[in-house]
Amino acid sequence: MTVRRDFKEPARCRPDLVIGRDELFTAARDQLVRGGSVLLHGPAGIGKSTVLRALAADYGESARTVLRCSATESESHLPFLALADLFGLVLDEISDKLPVAQRTALESALTGRGESTLQRDGLALRLAVLSALRALAAAGPVLLVADDLQWLDSASAELLGFAARRLGDTPVQLLCAVRTEEQEYDRHLRASPPDTLAVRLNPLSRAQVSALLDHRGYTDLPRSTMREIHRTSGGNPLFALELGRALGESPTPPRPGEPLPVPTSLRALVLSRLDMLSDEARRTLLVASAGARPTLALLHAAGRENAEAETAQAAALGLLATEPEGPAVRFAHPLISAALYAEAPAQERRAAHAALSTAASDPIERARNLALATTGTDPEVAARLAEAAALARDRGAPSVAASLGLLAARHTPPDGAPAPDDRRLQAAEDAITAGEVDLARDIAREVLTRATVPAERIRAWEVVIEAAGQSLGEVDAVFPQALADAGDDPRLLALVHYRLAWRKLIVEGDFAEAREEAAHTADLAARGHDRRTELMALSFQASTETLMGHPNAPTTIKRALREPQDPYVACHHNGVGAARFRWLLMSDQLPEARSTITALLREVRRRGMVESEVHFQRFLAETELRSGHCGRALDLARESLRLARDSGIGLGASAMLASLAEASGGDVDRALALAREAAGKAEEDGDQMYVSRALAALGHAQLVAGDAAGAVGSLRRVRELEQGLGITDPARGRWQGDLAEALVRVGEPGEAQDVVDVTREHALRLGRESVLAVLDRAEAMVRAARGDHEAALSRLTSVQDRLAKLGYGLEEARAAFALAMLRTGRPGPTSYDEAARLFRRCRALPWLRQVDAAAAAAAPEAVAVPQQSAPPSEALEGLASMERQVAALVMEGATNREIAARLFISVKTVEATLTRVYRKLGIRSRVDIVRLAAGRHAK
């Protein structure tokens, strides 16, 4: 059919597209804008039709005519059907423009009148399709949209391929989608125009699947379930949506350890070849689907004597993937395994698990299968599952431990010891460690509905509070209930007061109160002989004191490091190791900070502590960024952000650090977007502490982007927030130098000097050498803006050397850049080579681009001029300090760009200042200022 310029596709397709397809969509649309064609390809359900519709809706308005066809398998035998879809409604418009023989052949093919065939009218039909497209294109661009090319009838496919290869410069573009596996799209590409871009749609990530399900309304699924949906669907959006729908409609969730329920619609899709298997081969595949890591040896041990022949039969039918290397039995798609398991009767499933409970070599796997083969409570089975959970915990697999713990609770008798709820709470704590906070919270809430023992209730409240993450304001009602449950037991009170200390910091933004609460917690824990909580409280107190610039911070860290230690606290992201790392980083001990955080990261990965891994990955990225290793920092920050998005933990903090890394070594626009995302997340969570960090990142990104005014706005707010929070250590956020530089650039050197002076007082008190060096760099810019260039040059040279010795590579490069800019237009060396070399060593690409731009601007215009002699004082008496400096440099012959570089202000500020100068002096142009320098009056 034909669709005119005013065609608009329903808006519903666009929201789905942006989930995980942004880069792909942009690449395809850019190809269309350039006049090329696009071939989308990928497996069934991967989202080709969604992308196709959205591209057609987005780009279709650029074409005068849009021709569409959508083939189906059931109609693929009908000749010329696709041709009729494409040209049926435009036949009247183009028929009189075709030669008689071509028109007759085309009309016969489209209407079915006559007996037109490719064999009989082959050449006429081929030329008719080509002529028809050219006739339409003569009136304006044509877009041909074809979905499911694999079902195109062979006659239409042949005709379109013939025309596509011969269109040349004719404004006809093809936007097509085809179902393929691997590289099967080649034959379709050969039938497309020569400039066609083949775009493969790959599986969605876990975070993208989660976003897709959220968009479709499946928002109540636990994160652990979301992870299983992603695994089972293989990232296929259609499969994921069907699984999500089935789970959303199911009255009961799947049992721990069992595959997800697979709806009938998907079973029919993936198991169409199952009926071709023998009964014995089907039983063998069921055993394989019940196993965690099936191999031929495992199948033999489970009683499947003919496993080789039966798996070969399944592989020949496409149910299993062939594995030329290794003994693994792998299903062609995870959904096949889940559907096969869901299709089997419950008795056959239990039999498969029973066989695996003795055949598996791993004790965890044996225990899991024993549980799934057993119905009802059984103390022996429960004990074996609890042992397996402990083993999984020791192996660093807390998610597996949580699943096994829930199975243990299910099989524990009501009067068992430990009690079922005790095992459930242990599973909840394992889920917290694994980053599955939704599951943990649900378990704890369930336990609270019936628990009466204070220790159990406090334990459950702890899980609920921990699951809230940075959004502690959302669980305010929990604290009075927890305090009431704790009574006067110092051990239980310590647990609650530790959480209250965090609330004071995050929700109220009161560092002093948080510090006092932490100290009180440590005393309560010591009285209750709870060394773990005492150490956590001391670590929190030390971190708070470090951020405040409190003089007791080193003493508190030493207290937290005293024996006896607790291995869990030692590597926890809020433990003593993390507190020591923060102190080292803020004290300019970068090598020690790097080795400390690297060791901590290694340990939490071994233990499977996902939340700590997110934070430590970010800490390591920050250390590398301070050291000037921008490429390494960017990789680490992006990985931390990916992990945060997947787990739902620390998203705002990871986005903040990723913004800093992008601004230094990646993409500035992305840095701005991430900083705004981080600020929005902190505001949403009510996290006062991270609002200021996010705004500091935003201000830095704005400064790098050249938006000095925006940077001033953001960083002034950071200053107000941190004054209110009681943060005095400038090494915490290191934004003060950026604020001073931005103020100079917008023509506010007085305020910039005030920022430097106030910050220097705190930095001197705390011995923050790198902060002092950065402040000196900012002060040099202030002095340059005030006309004291020699002092500015001298100070910048000293700053660069000091930063190099401290190991702050990026800050060293920024000092070299400032030095080169200050020398521009003056006698002596003006080369930007040193700054470029240092930024290149850091892989600081955004900064390197700034150097290249500054060097290019200076090269043709830089002229060695003598030092300015004082302008006639009577002419400039009425000008402000900045205005006099700008006028003086104009008298030297400096361009606006050179003036901006010399005074460390923006070109816009120079232009605005000159406008004021013209008005005050009663002149009209730069020429008049030069005349003043020569002692002549402006005409």
Side-chain angles (χ1 to χ4, degrees):
M1 67 179 171
T2 303
V3 186
R4 296 299 179 196
R5 184 190 303 270
D6 59 356
F7 161 76
K8 287 189 177 179
E9 217 29 353
R12 60 181 171 77
C13 65
R14 183 65 183 167
D16 288 345
L17 168 70
V18 298
I19 298 171
R21 304 299 189 199
D22 288 346
E23 292 184 10
L24 178 152
F25 181 87
T26 301
R29 195 189 187 287
D30 288 348
Q31 170 73 359
L32 292 171
V33 169
R34 288 191 295 268
S37 296
V38 173
L39 175 67
L40 306 169
H41 65 99
I46 203 67
K48 301 179 298 297
S49 296
T50 299
V51 177
L52 184 86
R53 288 195 302 269
L55 281 169
D58 190 78
Y59 181 73
E61 295 182 6
S62 302
R64 175 185 178 273
T65 306
V66 179
L67 306 176
R68 295 175 173 274
C69 70
S70 184
T72 62
E73 184 177 10
S74 62
E75 298 170 341
S76 60
H77 65 286
L78 299 174
F80 306 122
L81 184 61
L83 208 64
D85 283 344
L86 292 169
F87 294 107
L89 297 181
V90 292
L91 187 59
D92 292 342
E93 178 183 342
I94 59 174
S95 60
D96 61 346
K97 299 173 184 177
L98 303 181
V100 175
Q102 294 180 25
R103 180 171 66 246
T104 301
L106 185 59
E107 289 176 347
S108 178
L110 297 186
T111 62
R113 294 191 295 270
E115 296 183 0
S116 181
T117 66
L118 274 181
Q119 284 137 353
R120 175 178 169 182
D121 303 311
L123 182 58
L125 271 174
R126 287 173 171 83
L127 294 174
V129 172
L130 182 59
S131 299
L133 290 172
R134 285 173 173 163
L136 290 169
V142 176
L143 178 66
L144 190 154
V145 182
D147 199 1
D148 283 319
L149 280 186
Q150 73 278 2
W151 304 133
L152 223 63
D153 64 273
S154 58
S156 296
E158 166 61 27
L159 294 170
L160 289 174
F162 175 87
R165 291 188 294 271
R166 290 165 175 80
L167 286 169
D169 295 332
T170 306
V172 177
Q173 296 169 267
L174 272 64
L175 172 58
C176 306
V178 60
R179 181 187 302 179
T180 60
E181 295 294 341
E182 303 303 330
Q183 301 299 313
E184 293 177 6
Y185 69 90
D186 283 352
R187 63 187 180 89
H188 298 284
L189 194 59
R190 287 193 294 271
S192 303
D195 60 351
T196 299
L197 173 69
V199 178
R200 180 169 179 81
L201 277 70
N202 292 313
L204 300 180
S205 69
R206 188 193 305 176
Q208 290 163 351
V209 165
S210 178
L212 177 62
L213 290 167
D214 283 347
H215 171 68
R216 289 299 184 90
Y218 305 119
T219 56
D220 297 327
L221 298 173
R223 194 165 299 279
S224 56
T225 302
M226 205 71 76
R227 182 190 62 209
E228 283 302 303
I229 290 176
H230 178 258
R231 186 192 65 79
T232 303
S233 68
N236 184 296
L238 172 64
F239 297 171
L241 285 170
E242 286 297 296
L243 290 168
R245 181 184 60 78
L247 285 164
E249 296 173 354
S250 175
T252 57
R255 293 175 62 190
E258 284 188 349
L260 296 178
V262 179
T264 304
S265 58
L266 290 185
R267 293 188 203 182
L269 179 63
V270 300
L271 297 180
S272 56
R273 288 158 289 185
L274 196 62
D275 291 339
M276 302 173 67
L277 283 176
S278 66
D279 290 342
E280 289 301 311
R282 185 167 180 157
R283 291 191 187 97
T284 295
L285 288 196
L286 176 60
V287 174
S289 71
R293 294 175 297 276
T295 63
L296 288 173
L298 179 64
L299 294 176
H300 278 299
R304 308 310 303 167
E305 297 177 356
N306 298 316
E308 285 89 349
E310 289 158 357
T311 55
Q313 182 186 358
L317 292 171
L319 295 167
L320 293 179
T322 56
E323 292 284 356
E325 299 179 4
V329 174
R330 185 170 65 85
F331 285 87
H333 192 282
L335 190 61
I336 296 175
S337 173
L340 179 65
Y341 187 92
E343 189 84 0
Q347 185 176 354
E348 290 187 15
R349 293 187 207 171
R350 286 196 295 272
H353 286 299
L356 290 169
S357 68
T358 57
S361 58
D362 185 81
I364 293 176
E365 185 65 6
R366 287 200 301 271
R368 184 186 75 88
N369 280 289
L370 178 62
L372 295 175
T374 305
T375 57
T377 61
D378 186 321
E380 183 180 347
V381 171
R384 286 183 59 182
L385 285 164
E387 291 171 2
L391 180 59
R393 199 175 304 119
D394 290 343
R395 288 181 180 179
S399 179
V400 175
S403 176
L404 293 168
L406 288 176
L407 285 171
R410 183 188 295 271
H411 289 285
T412 301
D415 57 351
D421 279 349
D422 186 66
R423 283 175 167 155
R424 288 189 181 93
L425 288 172
Q426 179 62 65
E429 290 162 358
D430 286 329
I432 285 284
T433 302
E436 297 176 6
V437 292
D438 296 338
L439 174 62
R441 183 184 55 245
D442 292 346
I443 296 170
R445 291 285 189 186
E446 179 195 351
V447 170
L448 283 166
T449 61
R450 54 178 175 268
T452 57
V453 179
E456 282 188 359
R457 292 187 62 80
I458 294 299
R459 193 177 174 190
W461 286 128
E462 276 208 287
V463 171
V464 171
I465 296 168
E466 183 77 16
Q470 301 295 105
S471 306
L472 284 178
E474 295 179 1
V475 292
D476 265 351
V478 164
F479 291 103
Q481 300 177 63
L483 285 170
D485 285 334
D488 57 1
D489 185 330
R491 183 177 179 277
L492 299 181
L493 282 170
L495 294 171
V496 181
H497 279 278
Y498 175 72
R499 304 294 174 179
L500 281 169
W502 276 103
R503 187 192 174 281
K504 291 283 186 184
L505 181 64
I506 292 176
V507 179
E508 298 180 16
D510 193 326
F511 274 71
E513 285 291 327
R515 174 183 175 271
E516 291 299 322
E517 193 71 67
H520 179 50
T521 299
D523 291 340
L524 284 170
R527 283 163 44 200
H529 306 288
D530 182 357
R531 181 61 173 164
R532 173 173 290 190
T533 303
E534 181 186 8
L535 288 171
M536 291 294 288
L538 288 170
S539 300
F540 176 76
Q541 181 184 343
S543 294
T544 306
E545 289 172 348
T546 298
L547 295 174
M548 292 171 67
H550 197 285
N552 287 358
T555 303
T556 308
I557 291 176
K558 289 178 181 177
R559 284 182 63 196
L561 287 168
R562 287 176 191 160
E563 297 295 337
Q565 283 295 312
D566 182 296
Y568 173 81
V569 176
C571 67
H572 191 274
H573 59 279
N574 290 323
V576 64
R580 181 172 178 270
F581 161 77
R582 289 188 186 94
W583 173 258
L584 291 169
L585 189 67
M586 294 174 69
S587 302
D588 297 324
Q589 300 179 58
L590 296 182
E592 294 86 348
R594 181 186 292 105
S595 61
T596 297
I597 199 62
T598 301
L600 288 170
L601 183 57
R602 187 185 308 116
E603 179 62 15
V604 297
R605 282 174 173 166
R606 187 188 71 79
R607 290 171 172 263
M609 298 169 67
V610 174
E611 184 172 8
S612 293
E613 181 181 356
V614 171
H615 291 296
F616 289 162
Q617 185 103 347
R618 186 178 78 253
F619 292 168
L620 182 56
E622 183 176 1
T623 307
E624 298 295 354
L625 196 58
R626 297 270 179 91
S627 303
H629 304 152
C630 298
R632 171 73 172 147
L634 184 60
D635 291 342
L636 288 165
R638 286 174 174 173
E639 176 61 21
S640 174
L641 183 59
R642 184 199 64 76
L643 190 58
R645 292 197 195 285
D646 281 352
S647 64
I649 295 170
L651 182 55
S654 293
M656 177 274 299
L657 199 281
S659 171
L660 291 172
E662 291 284 355
S664 298
D667 180 86
V668 178
D669 289 337
R670 180 163 170 74
L672 291 165
L674 285 167
R676 292 188 176 102
E677 177 187 348
K681 186 71 172 63
E683 296 273 15
E684 177 188 326
D685 291 342
D687 186 345
Q688 297 299 310
M689 187 170 63
Y690 263 103
V691 169
S692 65
R693 294 295 305 273
L695 287 173
L698 177 58
H700 179 72
Q702 288 168 323
L703 183 64
V704 176
D707 180 10
V712 167
S714 299
L715 296 174
R716 276 175 175 164
R717 190 179 168 203
V718 175
R719 180 172 53 179
E720 294 170 4
L721 286 170
E722 294 206 350
Q723 286 174 349
L725 290 169
I727 298 172
T728 60
D729 193 336
R732 186 238 182 187
R734 296 176 180 266
W735 49 266
Q736 295 86 353
D738 284 345
L739 175 56
E741 181 176 339
L743 285 166
V744 171
R745 289 185 181 277
V746 298
E748 297 287 349
E751 185 181 347
Q753 185 64 54
D754 181 63
V755 170
V756 170
D757 292 341
V758 171
T759 307
R760 181 179 282 133
E761 181 181 347
H762 294 299
L764 284 168
R765 174 175 60 85
L766 296 167
R768 302 299 191 228
E769 292 297 328
S770 64
V771 174
L772 288 168
V774 169
L775 291 173
D776 283 351
R777 185 184 69 206
E779 188 171 42
M781 296 178 182
V782 173
R783 292 190 177 189
R786 288 173 168 170
D788 191 356
H789 294 91
E790 296 306 322
L793 285 168
S794 175
R795 178 153 297 198
L796 281 173
T797 303
S798 170
V799 164
Q800 184 179 341
D801 292 341
R802 287 157 58 197
L803 288 168
K805 289 175 182 176
L806 289 168
Y808 284 77
L810 183 58
E811 298 294 355
E812 176 195 358
R814 287 181 64 179
F817 186 25
L819 198 57
M821 292 176 69
L822 191 58
R823 286 172 173 160
T824 299
R826 294 175 60 83
T830 60
S831 173
Y832 286 87
D833 291 348
E834 173 68 1
R837 181 185 69 80
L838 292 173
F839 281 131
R840 195 175 293 112
R841 183 184 68 184
C842 294
R843 275 189 59 193
L845 302 182
W847 288 103
L848 192 57
R849 284 190 284 270
Q850 287 194 36
V851 173
D852 290 343
E861 298 175 355
V863 179
V865 294
Q867 285 287 82
Q868 164 210 346
S869 58
S873 57
E874 65 275 10
L876 304 183
E877 277 181 1
L879 300 182
S881 172
M882 176 66 71
E883 294 165 352
R884 282 199 302 272
Q885 291 178 69
V886 170
L889 289 171
V890 170
M891 290 174 178
E892 288 185 2
T895 66
N896 286 2
R897 186 179 294 277
E898 289 171 346
I899 295 170
R902 290 274 295 279
L903 299 182
F904 293 98
I905 59 178
S906 69
V907 173
K908 287 185 178 179
T909 301
V910 174
E911 293 168 350
T913 303
L914 280 174
T915 300
R916 294 195 300 271
V917 169
Y918 298 156
R919 185 175 65 250
K920 289 182 178 182
L921 297 181
I923 60 179
R924 294 186 299 272
S925 69
R926 296 168 63 93
V927 174
D928 293 335
I929 295 180
V930 175
R931 285 175 177 153
L932 282 175
R936 297 193 299 271
H937 292 291
K939 294 181 180 179

